[in-house]
Structure formats: C-alpha cells, structure tokens
Amino acid sequence: MKAFGIALLAASLALAADGQKSPQKEEADALKACAEAVLAGVRKIAPMRDVRFEGKVSEANALCRGGDRALQFRDTPWVDWSNYWGTGDDTSLPKLAPVVSKSVAFRGVAGALTDLEFQRVELIKFNLFDNAGTYQQFIEGRDGTAGPALKLWPEMRLKPDNPWFSQVGGAGPQECKGSLIRGRTTTGICNDILNPAMGSSGTLFARNVEFESTFPESSQAGYTRNRHGDRLGLLQPDPQVISRRLLTRIQSDPAACGNGFGLPGNAATANCDYKKAPFFNVLAAYWIQFMTHDWFSHMEEGHNAPEFMKTGCESQLVNGVPTPLTPDQVKELGCRPDDQIDKGYVADDSAPGTFTKGGRQYLTRSPKVMANRNTAWWDASQIYGYDDTSVRRVKRDPKDPAKLLLEPVAGQKGPGYLPLLTAEDPKNPEWAGQESAAFPDNWTVGLSFLHNLFTREHNSFVDEFRRMAAKTPNADCGLRDPANPKKVIRYKDVTPDELFAAARLVVAAEIAKIHTTEWTPQLLYGEPLYKGMNGNWNGLLGTGDPEVSKALSNIIVNNFGKSKDVVKTTQWYSVFASGPGIFGIGSKVHGYDITKPEYTNGGVNHFGSPFNFPEEFVTVYRLHPLMPDLLEYRDLNKDPNKIAEKIAVINTFEARATDAMRTRGIANWGLTIGRQRLGLLQLHNSPIFMQNIKLPRLDTKTGQIDILALDIIRDREHGVPRFNEFRRQYGLRQLTSFDDFIDHSLPADSADRREQEESVKAMREVYGQHVCDASKIITDAQRNADNTPINDCLGHPNGSTVDNIEDVDTVVGYLAEPVRPHGFAISETQFVVFILNASRRLFSDRFFTSSFRPEFYTKLGVDWVNNNGPGPVVMEKGAPNGHKQPVLPMKRVLMRNIPELQAELDPVVNAFDPWARDRGDYYSLEWKPRRGAESDDAFKPPAATTAAARQQ
Ligand code: HEM
C-alpha cells in the first residue's frame, strides 16, 4: 500500500510541472492528495456509534476523489461523495485527455461507492433495533454467540393460536416443512424456515433509532427532554399550520388550478403549478405507492382505531408561545379546525423492560409499538393477499385456476381488466365500485394501472409455461415437492395451484428486480447508484465471469455467513456481497437439497436482528409531494405529443380510478403517466387536493382531512425522532440553525436562494427559537468534533437565542434539504434509510437468496427473472450512459403486456424516465424532447402554454 502511495506521489509531481491551476494542475494536486490518503491508511469501521463516519471524508480524500470542487463543500452538513468526479452529469467529468478523464471519473465513482459501503456497514452495525423482544439478545448475545451473529430467535416462533403451530413443530423446535416452504405463504410465515413468524402479517414494526430517542413528545427525562423542553406535542407545533405555511404549492394562476380540480370538462387549459423532476415520471410515483402497499400498513382494512382526534389548525407560535389562531388567521391559512381523524392503532403501550450492559441501561423496546398489518416481505402481497380477508379479494380464473381473473371490457382491446369487487367480497364501503385487489386502499388510477399490468404479467408467465408444457410435456420443469424431493415433476404434472404459486414467486421477484435495477437508479440518477444498485442485484462482478461470482457467493455464505465472528458475519458479508450480488446468494451451492434448511435458508442474513420495516422507513416513504394535482392526459391513437385533457388526480381516486381505467384504457394511461414529470420532494410542493381530501369514512363535521398534516401527526404518533436527532441517529451530520437549509453556494440573487431564504423565515416563525442552555446535553448519538458532548446551544454561545432546529419534523426537514446529490429525487436523509433497509429486504428473504432455485420457481421462472421475460436476454440499443445493458425489466413487462405501447417505448431506456425526454450522453437532467417528440406540449415553455391557454 505504501509503495502505491509513493508511486502516486511521483506521478503527481510529474503532472504538476507546469505549476498552473489548469485541469492538469488540479489533477496533480488531487493525485498528491490520493497519495497522502493512501499513506494515511484505510478508515476503520467505527467502534462506537458516536464516532461514526457521517459521510464526511478527510481533506486528502475529498481532493483525491473530487478535486477542488469537493473541498468547497466540506464544511456543510451534507455528505461529501456527491462532489466527487463522475458522480454528476458530464460537467462532473474532468477536462483532461479522454483516457485520464475516464480514470479520474472512475476514482470519483469508486470513492462514492466506498463511502456508501462504509455507511451501509455502519448502519448494519448501529441501526438495528428490533421491537419484538430480541433486542436484549442483540446486545448481550446468547449461549456464547454474540448478538449480531445470532440467527435463531424464540420470539420468531409461531404462537399456539397460529393455525400452523403444530405443523411447524408446536411446542418443540419449530421448522417449516413440506407445503409450507414451497412458495410464499399468505401471511408470510415460513419465509425463514427456522424463524417461522418473521416478517409475517401482524408482527411489529422495528426501529432504526435507539429506543430512548423515540417518542420525543412524551419523554419527560434525559436527553430528549433537554433537546425539546416542553415545546412538543401531538399537535404542537400545529400540523395544519405547518402544512399550509411550508408545504402548500403556490399558484401563479389559482383560477386555472381550480383548487386542484382543474377546469370544467377536463379542459387542457387548466394548470396547477408544481415543481417537476425532469428525470422521473408519474408512473414512478404510482410505482412507489404500489410498493408501499406490498411492504407495510398501519391500517387494517382501510381504517385506524375507533377513536377520533383533532388535527390542528388551532394555534401558532407568538414569541415562542402557542397562541390560538383567530378566525381571520384560520381563513387566511385555509386550514380547518373541525377536521378529525381516527387515531392510529397501538399494539402495545405497556412500559418496556430495561436491562444493563457495560454500565449502561437499555430499554428492551420502544415505549409504544405498532403492528405491520402486511407481510413485510417483498412478496407482491398487494396483489396476492396478506391475510385471510385480503386473500378473498384475489380472484382466480375459473377456466385456468393457475391464472388471475381478467374480464373483457367493452371498447377495450387486449387480455382484459381486473374484475370489480362484488357484494360478497370483504370491503370497506369506500371501496365500492373499485377493481378487486388484495390491498384496495387509497386506490388510484396508477394503482389500477400497475395491478392490471402485473395481473397480465402473471398470466403471461402461465401462458408461456403452458406453451412449454404443450411442447415438451415430459420434460423436467425443475419444480420439486419437498415432501417427495426425488420425484421429477414434468411439465404435464404441474397442478394449477403449483403453477399459480410459481407465477407469484416470479412476479414478486420481477417487481423486486424492477425496483432495484430500474426504479431506484432513476430515482437516484447518477453513476454511483447505477453501479451500486446493479451491485445489489447482479453484483459488481455481475457482468464478469459467472464462475467467479458463484465461487465468491459460496465463500461468503459458507464462511462469513456461518461464522460466529461478528465482523465476518456482518461487515465482511455485506461488503463482499457486492461482488456476486445479494440476489441469488447461496442458491448455487453444490448438492443443494430442498429438504434441508442449511440449503434453502442458507443464503439469508438478518445481521442479528429479525427483519421487519422500521417506523422510520415509513416516514421516508411519505412521498405525497410526488403527485401532481392534474394528470396530463394523452391519447395514443390521436397525437401522443398533445396533452388532450387535464384530469384532476382527485377525480381518478377510488371507484373513479376504475372508471377512468375502463373507459379510457390501459395504454392511454400508460402514455399519460409515462410522459408526465412527477413532483420534486421539496417544501411548497405538496398537492393542493391532498390538503382538502374528502374521506367518506370520516363521520366528522368536515368529512375532510389534510393528508400532509396527517403525515406529520402519524409520525408523531409513531414516535419518530425529529429531523436533527434522526440524522444523528443514522450517522449523518446535524444542522445547527435553520440557515443550514440554505445552499450558500447559490448566487445571492438567484430565485432558488431567495425561495430558500423565505422558507427559512417561515420555519423560524412556525418552529420558533429559544434561549439555549449549554449545560443541557441533548444526545449521545454523536459528539462534537472536539469530542465534547453536543449540548442545547449546538455550538452557539451559551445563553444565546438559537433556532428550534431540534423540533423540525423529519418529513419537513428532509423536504427542506437544499443540497442533494446529482439526480437524486430524494434527499440524503431519506436515502440513508434506504441504504440500510433496501439491502436488508433482499438479504433477509430466502426467495431472493438461497431459494431462488428451479425447485421453487421452475426452470422457466428462474430464466424469466434473470432474462426479464421469455427467451434469451434482449440487449438495449447503444450504450446508455456508457453501459451496454439488457432492456430493463419494466420496459419488457410493459411491452409484453400492453403491446399498443411498443412503438412509444422503443426509444425509452428506463421506463421511469419521462418517455419523451432526450437523456443526453451522461446522466443529463435537461428537459429536452427526444427525436420525434419535438412537438410535445410538455416541452413548450410555460409562458407559451399559458398564453395559448388565454387565447382559447
Ligand atoms: C392520489 C394519491 C394518494 C392518496 C389520495 C393518498 C392517501 C393516503 C391516505 C388517506 C393515507 C392514510 C393516512 C392515515 O390515516 O394514516 C395515506 C398513507 C400513506 N401514503 Fe398515501 N396517498 C396517495 C399517494 C401516495 C404515494 C404516491 C405514496 C408514495 C410512497 C404514498 C405513501 C403513503 C404512505 C407511506 C402512507 C402511510 C402508510 C402507513 O402508515 O402504513 N401515498 N395515503
């Protein structure tokens, strides 16, 4: 290593000969810094949470990986890697000879990936907090095994009241066998064969933050009290005031927006202003709603607990004191004091136990715990069901029970549409008239689109299987029955139920693949995340020698995975899994035997903490600002470049979604939501319609609710720490005043800068200030740079007036972040939560690791997932962003199941990039039409659209 450093130093001296601060000189300085960084040695994983990485590197590393630009931003709270070479568009590429530029860009991107892997490893080490009773074992270990190396928990056994209790072993050792392990079960039990209850419906949400930091509203003691004094409550600061003052979309022409309803007759001249993401489409917004309906729900059958509560619009701070709003102020804000909502369910609010280790007292769980009503697995349960009730809404085709039911709709082509809910189906009255789906709540036209699409995909797989069965009825289809493992199952032997179960596995894996390799790289549109996400799925070696990948995968599973050494089984495992990829890890083991858990379960790694989503994950998925108010409706058979109508999103909600889908057809909706840009996740960019939504189930004076205020209230109900402590808990740098929400590198007179300053002013009024007391320690999650504890003054002089930055709600804080890595639709605070949980969702699921095998999926199923559909891999034209790559899975699913869209999709590389956009050469964010879409209305300057509108 030292020799390498000295060689770099020599190279830098040679390049520096001309002494100018030319690109060559900058590179010479950078190389010198690289040498210094190498000589200083590799950073160690933090031994304790309060000295962790924080995404900030040494000066030498910043200069080495990003040159002078990376140095400029080292004093901000935001992560450094986004300023490295090659992590942005082509302006982030160095201006040197092409070969040198390429290698410098590689250095920047590799540096970013290194930082991200450091974050992931430290997140695994410091941010897993299970609520189900296993946390004490995680800290203390059990029977000589350290906590993070534990793989089996008594708490993950099925309870005696579970119908499968005796089948898995009853009161004795529990192990899932036979039919219970063949596919994804309704309630999600037996994914982990030895921990049957893990991730199943009704199990508890976990946490990613120390239990002591949760529920800051009710804490009467300790750091939390010091952090917030008595300033916080469920409705304090007032959530509806926050919504109206900080989240409302400001309209240049309110009449054209019609309060989010547009204009009569869906006139295309309507306009609701919203800040748009040039590189991400409305399909992507609906996609993530579709995903959350698979992963988690606090609600049961579309409702919360029976009691109702107020939702604010009552007070605002005046000189730091909550003061009732006057009727005039209420009118001016536009909020509603009479709104009420049903309280959230709480599964257990009894006092948690405590234990002591190393002189420190710990809570065994958070003070209140909530249940996840869905299966936590990525199992397409929004389509196939997650409990006995939801499964009754899943309709099989009586003509071929391996298929899901689709029915013809008059005037529409293709394989048909989802049937409607019938009188016999279990349902909340609000769902009447909707399509039948396992998860029918908050039904939108986008959900209708995606449910219809993946129902068609399920049936496409069944059709292809049946074709193969007709052609080669006696061939081995790959499937095996664990109760009779030696028996070859031929194509012709497969029962409809077996084929249905295999199709579900395939659809769920395709969805996971789309999310990992297509949706996320477009959400985080840049080279590091393209590489990182493909690394999670195919491995960084994915395109290299498959034998090397296989060998590495086996080493990881057999050596690191089985090790009782905590460092090997957690840190090494995570780092080395990026080589072969997480997906399929442990599935290519010699002598694989489906009757033995060491094979079927051998590839999962829970890192010592049973898998479920943490409450904090739900918080960062409160992505309501993604939705526009109006959908720019287009007709494929007329002129796809023309916005024919503007349809209010609220008029495509619940049964109106179904009606819109059936009358206008799936292809037109695909075109519509594929071409339109979604809303940026920023302050002052939340949909107007969501502030005024009518929910018929609310038997209240107004019958209305402000969903954006509710997002804040629900997080408070769930005890999510406020933004600054949230960041400290996740190993990100804290903010010290509202001014940190201003990007000081922007020109003082720029519109963005002025807007940020306005927002900061409003935050100061809404959240207030206080006189600080340096004797109050407010956290133990981090320490100051000089190793002193962080106190109430956050570095300001004792007794000075400081911003109540500690009180900012996490949703508000992440929307306010002024600096984001290039092409990031989300903020870095949201992203850090994904780094941990997105990879755990794969690491923990045996059907994505060691059970990704023909014995479960069929041979056709394994190939279908690997090749993105039937037949061999189809390659994309050219090399988008410099990569030769397969046609991505969502594009294939769309083309296969909605063939009317084939011509439209042909030039599209990523189905979540607005379909008519020219992607440029290297991660361009420009809003420019591709060839053939020059006349698309969405590319006309807003002034031209408005002027045209006025003339009509
Ligand atoms: C027309 C579009 C949408 C409507 C009308 C809508 C409406 C709602 C409503 C009424 C709730 C329940 C609030 C409660 O009582 O706790 C909710 C929750 C939620 N929504 Fe949306 N939503 C929409 C789109 C989206 C999108 C695009 C996302 C993106 C991820 C999203 C994410 C969430 C999340 C994470 C929750 C919390 C769920 C939970 O607590 O388990 N929603 N939404």
Side-chain angles (χ1 to χ4, degrees), residues 151 550-565 568-569 573 576 580 585-592 597-605 850:
K151 296 176 190 342
K550 187 170 143 188
L552 194 50
S553 162
N554 288 343
I555 292 170
I556 293 164
V557 171
N558 290 328
N559 295 296
F560 303 159
K562 292 186 179 146
S563 173
K564 289 197 170 184
D565 176 329
K568 283 189 186 155
T569 196
Y573 195 99
F576 283 99
I585 199 166
S587 64
K588 293 181 186 133
V589 183
H590 180 68
Y592 191 92
E598 57 268 38
Y599 292 95
T600 46
N601 232 30
V604 300
N605 193 338
S850 37

Side-chain angles (χ1 to χ4, degrees), residues 205 285-286 288-289 292 296-299 304 341-342 442 444 618 621-624 626-627 649 653 689-690 693 695 697 707 710-711 714 718:
F205 280 107
Y286 286 125
I288 191 60
Q289 192 191 18
T292 60
F296 56 78
S297 174
H298 283 92
M299 299 171 79
N304 300 290
I341 192 76
D342 39 4
N442 295 330
T444 56
V618 179
Y621 274 104
R622 296 192 178 277
L623 301 181
H624 290 123
L626 295 179
M627 293 305 304
V649 172
F653 187 46
F689 80 88
M690 284 204 180
I693 206 155
L695 294 181
R697 77 183 155 84
I707 294 180
L710 189 57
D711 277 334
R714 292 291 188 224
H718 301 153

Side-chain angles (χ1 to χ4, degrees), residues 383-404:
I383 300 174
Y384 297 100
Y386 40 87
D387 59 16
D388 291 344
T389 308
S390 59
V391 94
R392 284 167 55 203
R393 292 187 284 264
V394 181
K395 300 197 162 61
R396 310 260 288 257
D397 186 344
K399 291 203 277 316
D400 180 353
K403 287 187 170 177
L404 287 161

